[in-house]
Amino acid sequence: MSYIEFQSVTKRFPGVLALDGVSFAIPRGTCHALIGENGAGKSTLGKILAGVYTADAGEIRLDGKPIAPANPLAARQLGIAMVHQELAFCPNMSVAENLCLGDLPLRAAGFVDRPALRARAREMLASIHADIDPDALIGTLSTGKEQLVQIAAAVGTGAQVIVMDEPSSSLSAGETRELFTLVRKLKARGLTLIYVSHRMSELFELCDNITVLRDGRHVATEAIAATTPARVVSQMIGRELRAQTPAHLSRPAGPERLRLEALGSPGKFSDITLSVRAGEIVGLAGLVGAGRSETVQAAFGLDPAATGRVLVNDRAIAPRSIESALAARIGLLPEDRKRQGLVLGLNCRENTALASLPVLSRFGWVRRGAERTLADRYQKRLRVKAPSLETIVGGLSGGNQQKIALAKWLARDCDVLLIDEPTRGVDVGAKAEIYALLDELACEGKALLIVSSELPELLGLCTRILVLRNGCLAGEVPRSDFSEDSLMRLMAGVEFAAA
Amino acid sequence: MPPQLRQLFRFQESGLLLVILVLGVLLTAFAGTVRTPKFERTADGARQRVFTTDSGGNRNPAFEEKNKFLNSQNLAQLAKDTSFIAIMAVGMAIVIISGGIDLSVGSTYALASVLGAMVLHHFGPEGTALAPLAACALGVLVCLATGALCGLANGSLIVALGVHPFIITLGSMAILRGIAFVATKGQSIGGFPADLREFVRFEMGNGLSVVPLLVMVLVTALGWIYLSRLAAGRRVYAIGGNEQAARFSGIRVGRVKLGVYVLAGLAAGVSAVLSLGYYGAATSGDGQGYELNVIAAAVVGGCSLTGGRGSALGVVLGALIIQMIASGIVILGIDQNYSQIIIGAVVIAAVVLDNVNTWLAKRRLTRA
C-alpha cells in the first residue's frame, strides 16, 4: 500500500535539529504535499530522499525495501529525482547536453553523437509536452522553462518519484498553470510526486495527501479532502494565533526619522515615497519580485543605480553611499544573513563589532576592552545563546545568528533600522523573542521599516503596512484595516480580486 | 591532561611547533655526521685553521665530527633562508586571508632587487660619488618603493577591473619579471657600497647573520599586530570570510583590498633589500619560483585559500617547515632536482590535512 515510508528520520545540522524522528508514508501514484513554516524541515526531508543530504538516524523504505541514497546519483538510480529551486544545470550548455549529461550518446573514440543527442533530448521534452528548443542554452531560459527541463530530465531517466521543492515560488501565474497540468499528467502515469511548498491554495488544488511538519517534528498526515486550510495553519503554527497588541502602538509616534522621496532604480522599482517616524514599525509587504528588498537596500546606499532622495532626520544623505547611510545612523539587517549579514567564520564578538569598528578603534587600534563590553552588552540584551563571545557564529542556530546580525546594528546605535525578513529560518521560540525585541526598540524611539513575506508577522507587529506591487507603491493599510485578505488583494492586484 | 598542557594544545600554532620539533629530531637522527676542518679565532678576530702536533713533530690539520643538520653553521644558514621566505609569506598571508592571492611575489622581489641594485651600483665604488650611507639609504628606499608600487599596481587592477587576483597577478608575474630583464639586459648587477653588505652580513657567534633574522621577527610582529590588533586587520578577515557581508557592514572593500596588495609588495621589497645586502648582486632571474615557496609557507602555516583564516605567526612557522624540508633534502643527500616535487607534495598534504581538520570540527559541532 505505502510506496515510500519514512521511519523516525532524524537529521542534525550544526546548532539545529532539522528533523526529529519523522515518520509517515506516501502511497504510490499520489501527489503528496509537504508543508510547514520556514525551518520546519520540509526541504531537508525532500533532500534526504533525493540523496542531497543523508539522514543521521532512521530509515526510508521504497516499495518495502530500505534505501539510503548517499548522493543524488544513487537516488536517481533508485528512481528518485528532485526538481530544485535554484539552478541545477550548467548554464553555458545547451538543453540537449544538460539533459543527457549523465549518459552522453557516443560514437567511436569518444566523440559525442550530436544528432542522437538532439533526438534523445527532443524525445524527453516531448514526453512531458514541453515546447523547448533542445539547442537553446540553459542560461537563456526562464525559471519556469528551466524547471520543465529538470522535470523532463527526471522523467526521461525513468524516475518514479519526483520531489519538487517550492516549484512555483518564482513562476508567473501562467507558468504555474502549466506546471499544474503537467503534475496531473505525471500522476496519471503512475508517478509519485512530493510537493514541498507553503502555498496553501496550490496544495489544496493539486495534492491528494498532506503532511505537516513543525520544528522538525511530524505533526499530521491527512487526506486533503479530510482537512481544511485553517486546520493546516493551526497545525503548522502549533497554537492559535495570539492577537497580542505590541506596546509601541500605545505610545504617540515621534518626529519623522526616515523619508524616501521618489526613490527608484531602473528595472527594479520606481517612485517610492514613504516616511517612518520615531517609535513606528512600518511594514513593507509584497509578492516575490515586487521590489521590497531592493527598496530597502537602495535606502541603505547599496544600489549604484538608485535615483531619488533619502532623508534622515530631515537631512538628505548622499545616495548610493553606505558610508553616508551609516553616518546618518541607518542600519540594514539583510534578507540573507548567511550571505549578507554575517561573517560566519568570525566569532560573536567580532561580528557584533563589525559595523562599529570606526567607533571602537583609536588610531587604527581596536580597543579590545570596549569591544568586549559592547559585544557582551548586546549578547545579554538579545539573550543570545552561545557558550561565549568567542564562539564562531557559523555554529549557532538560525535564531541566535539572526540576533547577532541584529546586534551589529544595535551596537552601532542606529536610529533607523531597515529589517529584511526578521525571522527567516528562525525557530518559533526565537521568533517570539525577536518580535518582542523589535517592539521594545520601537518603544525606545527607533524607526523601523520591516520587509516580510510572512503576513501574520507584519499584521501582528506593525503600526501600518505599505504594499509594493511590481516595483510601485500599491497602497497603505492602517492598523485599523489590517486583514490578510485586504493585503493579499493589494499585493496581487486586480487579477487576484477578479479571480 | 593538566590544564597548562591543555592550554598549550589549544594554542593555535601548537600543531606547527610539533611538526617542526619532529622534523628537527628526524633530521638530526638521520643526517649522519660530517668531518669538517676545525677553525679558531685569533686574537685579532680572524679565522684560522687549528693544527695539532703529533708525537713525530708533524703538524696535522685538526678535524671535528659534526651532525650534518644540528650544527651551528647549518642552523644559521637555515635561519637566514627562512627569513627571506618568511618575510614575503607574512605579506602573502594578509593577501590570502583577504580571499586573494599574489602569484607575482617572486617577480616583485626580482624587480625590486634589480632596480635597487641599479641605484646602488650607480652610487657605488665605481660610480658617481655619494656618501656611502646616503647611497645605501637611496637604494633601500628604491627597493621598498618598487615593491609597494608593484603591489599598488596589482591591487588597483584587481579592484578596478574586478578580475580574479589569480589572473591579474599571473599576468603581472610575467610583466614584472620582463621589466626586470629588460632593465638589466639580462646582466648581473653588483658593485655596491660595502656598508650595506657589512650591515646585513653582520655575524654573531659562528656565522649567524642576525640582521635578516631580526628583520623577520620585526615583520612578523608587525604582521601580527596588523592582523589581530588593528581595525584594518579585522576588515581583512571580514572581507575574506564574507565579502558581501563586509560590504553590507559599511566596510570599503576596494580600499582594504588595495592596501593588502601594497603590503604584500612591500614585504617582497623588504626581502629584496636583505638579498641585495646578503648576496651583493642581483639579476632579473632572482626569486624564480619563490611564489611556490611563499604560498606553500602560508598554506602550511594555516591560511585558508578561501579566505578569512590564518595568522602571521603560523605563516612564519610554515616558512620554517618549508625551509627545513628544503634543507633536509640537501642534508639527506637526496637529489636536488627532487626538491620541487617534495615541496609541491607537502603543500597538497597540508591542504588535505586542513580539510580533514575542518571536517572533524564540523562533525564535532554537529554532535554537540
Side-chain angles (χ1 to χ4, degrees):
Chain A
M1 160 68 199
S2 62
Y3 182 51
I4 304 168
E5 228 177 302
F6 294 96
Q7 286 173 354
S8 1
V9 173
T10 298
K11 177 73 187 172
R12 225 174 248 286
F13 291 115
V16 58
L17 187 59
L19 289 174
D20 185 4
V22 172
S23 310
F24 65 94
I26 301 174
R28 185 195 288 267
T30 60
C31 182
H32 196 100
L34 210 50
I35 195 170
E37 285 190 294
N38 289 328
K42 51 191 194 302
S43 289
T44 309
L45 192 66
K47 285 181 178 167
I48 287 176
L49 184 64
V52 179
Y53 300 141
T54 48
D56 294 330
E59 194 175 66
I60 304 171
R61 285 170 178 274
L62 181 70
D63 219 2
K65 287 187 285 291
I67 57 164
N71 54 52
L73 189 65
R76 269 290 164 91
Q77 282 158 355
L78 290 164
I80 303 168
M82 183 158 185
V83 176
H84 293 269
Q85 303 170 355
E86 61 269 25
L87 204 63
F89 285 128
C90 311
N92 294 325
M93 291 169 73
S94 74
V95 169
E97 282 165 326
N98 273 295
L99 276 174
C100 302
L101 205 53
D103 178 29
L104 287 171
L106 296 181
R107 268 198 257 262
F111 284 94
V112 174
D113 186 349
R114 298 210 151 264
L117 178 78
R118 216 165 278 133
R120 198 194 289 176
R122 211 167 266 133
E123 197 180 303
M124 284 163 100
L125 290 167
S127 79
I128 63 158
H129 310 283
D131 179 28
I132 298 169
D133 176 11
D135 290 326
L137 294 184
I138 285 285
T140 63
L141 299 182
S142 70
T143 322
K145 292 261 194 273
E146 200 232 310
Q147 222 164 48
L148 287 181
V149 178
Q150 286 195 44
I151 295 172
V155 175
T157 50
Q160 287 303 305
V161 179
I162 299 180
V163 182
M164 296 179 152
D165 191 5
E166 304 275 5
S168 62
S169 63
S170 42
L171 298 189
S172 67
E175 285 175 321
T176 308
R177 286 282 125 216
E178 280 177 40
L179 178 74
F180 283 11
T181 317
L182 178 59
V183 166
R184 290 200 185 91
K185 278 184 188 148
L186 293 176
K187 209 170 73 177
R189 277 197 227 165
L191 269 72
T192 308
L193 294 120
I194 297 174
Y195 198 95
V196 179
S197 179
H198 56 245
R199 298 197 175 179
M200 202 71 72
S201 57
E202 292 181 5
L203 300 181
F204 274 83
E205 185 180 340
L206 205 57
C207 300
D208 304 297
N209 299 300
I210 185 163
T211 290
V212 183
L213 296 177
R214 183 174 74 234
D215 299 333
R217 291 204 185 84
H218 178 252
V219 179
T221 297
E222 293 176 300
I224 282 282
T227 186
T228 64
R231 186 174 148 87
V232 171
V233 167
S234 69
Q235 284 169 340
M236 274 166 62
I237 300 171
R239 59 189 145 77
E240 296 304 311
L241 278 173
R242 273 180 297 127
Q244 195 189 358
T245 316
H248 72 89
L249 291 173
S250 58
R251 294 164 184 253
E256 182 186 80
R257 287 273 186 245
L258 173 73
R259 187 158 83 245
L260 307 182
E261 278 182 1
L263 194 68
S265 177
K268 291 180 186 164
F269 58 92
S270 59
D271 204 21
I272 306 285
T273 298
L274 61 84
S275 100
V276 186
R277 296 162 67 184
E280 266 192 321
I281 300 181
V282 176
L284 204 53
L287 297 174
V288 170
R292 300 166 303 172
S293 300
E294 290 82 355
T295 302
V296 289
Q297 286 182 9
F300 188 59
L302 279 167
D303 186 343
T307 57
R309 297 212 302 164
V310 178
L311 294 97
V312 178
N313 294 327
D314 263 336
R315 291 236 301 276
I317 63 171
R320 304 179 292 273
S321 149
I322 303 183
E323 285 86 42
S324 58
L326 281 174
R329 309 219 287 190
I330 306 185
L332 168 69
L333 183 72
E335 181 183 14
D336 185 336
R337 73 175 156 266
K338 292 194 176 176
R339 278 182 39 227
Q340 302 163 335
L342 294 168
V343 184
L344 293 176
L346 294 182
N347 62 31
C348 297
R349 169 176 56 83
E350 289 162 332
N351 268 295
T352 307
L354 204 53
S356 312
L357 284 176
V359 188
L360 283 174
S361 52
R362 193 188 295 139
F363 308 121
W365 288 70
V366 179
R367 290 180 294 144
R368 291 169 77 79
E371 184 191 18
R372 179 168 290 281
T373 315
L374 188 76
D376 191 50
R377 188 190 319 151
Y378 286 101
Q379 178 143 10
K380 291 215 172 80
R381 169 152 187 213
L382 303 190
R383 286 190 287 278
V384 177
K385 289 179 208 78
S388 83
L389 285 174
E390 309 299 312
T391 307
I392 301 296
V393 165
L396 299 180
S397 72
N400 285 313
Q401 284 184 355
Q402 189 73 335
K403 287 179 184 175
I404 296 279
L406 191 56
K408 179 169 76 180
W409 295 115
L410 299 184
R412 175 79 201 207
D413 197 19
C414 291
D415 288 336
V416 178
L417 286 168
L418 311 169
I419 298 178
D420 200 350
E421 301 292 352
T423 61
R424 175 168 289 176
V426 166
D427 55 83
V428 181
K431 262 186 193 177
E433 284 186 59
I434 288 175
Y435 294 151
L437 179 77
L438 294 178
D439 187 25
E440 210 178 297
L441 291 172
C443 288
E444 286 170 18
K446 300 200 183 297
L448 280 72
L449 183 62
I450 296 184
V451 172
S452 177
S453 303
E454 295 181 39
L455 285 182
E457 184 167 288
L458 293 179
L459 293 172
L461 210 54
C462 293
T463 323
R464 55 201 164 88
I465 297 175
L466 302 166
V467 178
L468 283 182
R469 185 171 68 231
N470 297 330
C472 297
L473 269 181
E476 175 173 337
V477 184
R479 189 158 181 104
S480 52
D481 295 349
F482 275 7
S483 77
E484 272 200 51
D485 190 57
S486 62
L487 281 173
M488 274 309 291
R489 267 168 207 281
L490 272 174
M491 280 158 67
V494 208
E495 191 188 342
F496 180 82
Chain B
M1 207 188 294
Q4 295 95 328
L5 205 63
R6 208 175 306 162
Q7 192 76 42
L8 188 71
F9 274 105
R10 207 175 296 149
F11 177 56
Q12 208 186 334
E13 281 80 23
S14 59
L16 292 170
L17 285 173
L18 193 71
V19 171
I20 289 168
L21 206 67
V22 170
L23 266 179
V25 169
L26 285 178
L27 282 175
T28 308
F30 290 104
T33 55
V34 65
R35 247 162 68 93
T36 53
K38 204 170 175 177
F39 285 93
E40 64 178 1
R41 296 241 174 225
T42 57
D44 60 349
R47 265 152 59 98
Q48 68 171 36
R49 293 198 60 168
V50 180
F51 290 89
T52 52
T53 317
D54 62 15
S55 52
N58 300 320
R59 264 163 60 89
N60 294 324
F63 286 92
E64 56 185 348
E65 293 275 317
K66 282 186 192 163
N67 185 295
K68 270 201 213 161
F69 174 75
L70 200 64
N71 68 65
S72 51
Q73 270 159 336
N74 187 52
L75 292 183
Q77 169 98 12
L78 182 64
K80 186 243 344 168
D81 289 343
T82 304
S83 311
F84 286 3
I85 294 296
I87 290 165
M88 286 186 274
V90 170
M92 182 67 79
I94 296 174
V95 170
I96 291 180
I97 291 168
S98 82
I101 187 90
D102 183 3
L103 297 177
S104 72
V105 58
S107 301
T108 304
Y109 167 90
L111 185 59
S113 299
V114 160
L115 294 188
M118 289 169 89
V119 171
L120 288 169
H121 177 79
H122 185 73
F123 296 112
E126 305 148 36
T128 321
L130 190 71
L133 211 60
C136 289
L138 202 59
V140 168
L141 205 67
V142 167
C143 239
L144 297 180
T146 308
L149 280 174
C150 292
L152 187 68
N154 277 335
S156 316
L157 286 172
I158 288 163
V159 173
L161 303 180
V163 178
H164 194 283
F166 188 96
I167 301 299
I168 296 287
T169 58
L170 185 68
S172 61
M173 174 170 134
I175 293 171
L176 298 177
R177 176 133 354 241
I179 295 174
F181 185 81
V182 171
T184 58
K185 303 184 181 69
Q187 302 292 310
S188 171
I189 298 174
F192 305 157
D195 304 58
L196 185 67
R197 190 176 159 88
E198 276 163 20
F199 174 68
V200 174
R201 292 209 101 163
F202 172 75
E203 291 182 358
M204 266 174 67
N206 202 352
L208 178 66
S209 310
V210 280
V211 172
L213 215 55
L214 286 178
V215 173
M216 175 182 78
V217 170
L218 184 71
V219 168
T220 312
L222 289 176
W224 179 79
I225 289 172
Y226 176 85
L227 283 173
S228 70
R229 287 293 179 267
L230 298 190
R234 187 71 62 76
R235 295 192 178 103
V236 171
Y237 279 102
I239 288 173
N242 186 343
E243 185 171 331
Q244 206 179 357
R247 201 159 62 88
F248 273 59
S249 301
I251 291 173
R252 294 170 194 186
V253 173
R255 190 182 291 187
V256 176
K257 279 190 177 174
L258 200 64
V260 154
Y261 288 94
V262 171
L263 288 179
L266 193 60
V270 172
S271 265
V273 168
L274 292 178
S275 86
L276 284 183
Y278 198 86
Y279 298 113
T283 77
S284 60
D286 285 351
Q288 197 90 258
Y290 270 18
E291 58 281 343
L292 172 68
N293 287 347
V294 171
I295 294 172
V299 170
V300 170
C303 289
S304 161
L305 280 180
T306 50
R309 210 152 50 84
S311 76
L313 184 57
V315 160
V316 172
L317 296 178
L320 181 57
I321 291 176
I322 295 291
Q323 282 307 325
M324 280 175 92
I325 290 168
S327 137
I329 290 166
V330 178
I331 289 166
L332 298 179
I334 301 171
D335 189 340
Q336 237 348 96
N337 298 320
Y338 286 85
S339 69
Q340 291 213 348
I341 300 178
I342 293 171
I343 291 175
V346 167
V347 175
I348 293 173
V351 174
V352 170
L353 266 176
D354 185 58
N355 281 352
V356 170
N357 201 7
T358 312
W359 179 75
L360 283 177
K362 204 174 250 171
R363 217 176 55 159
R364 266 201 304 276
L365 261 179
T366 314
R367 292 282 151 87

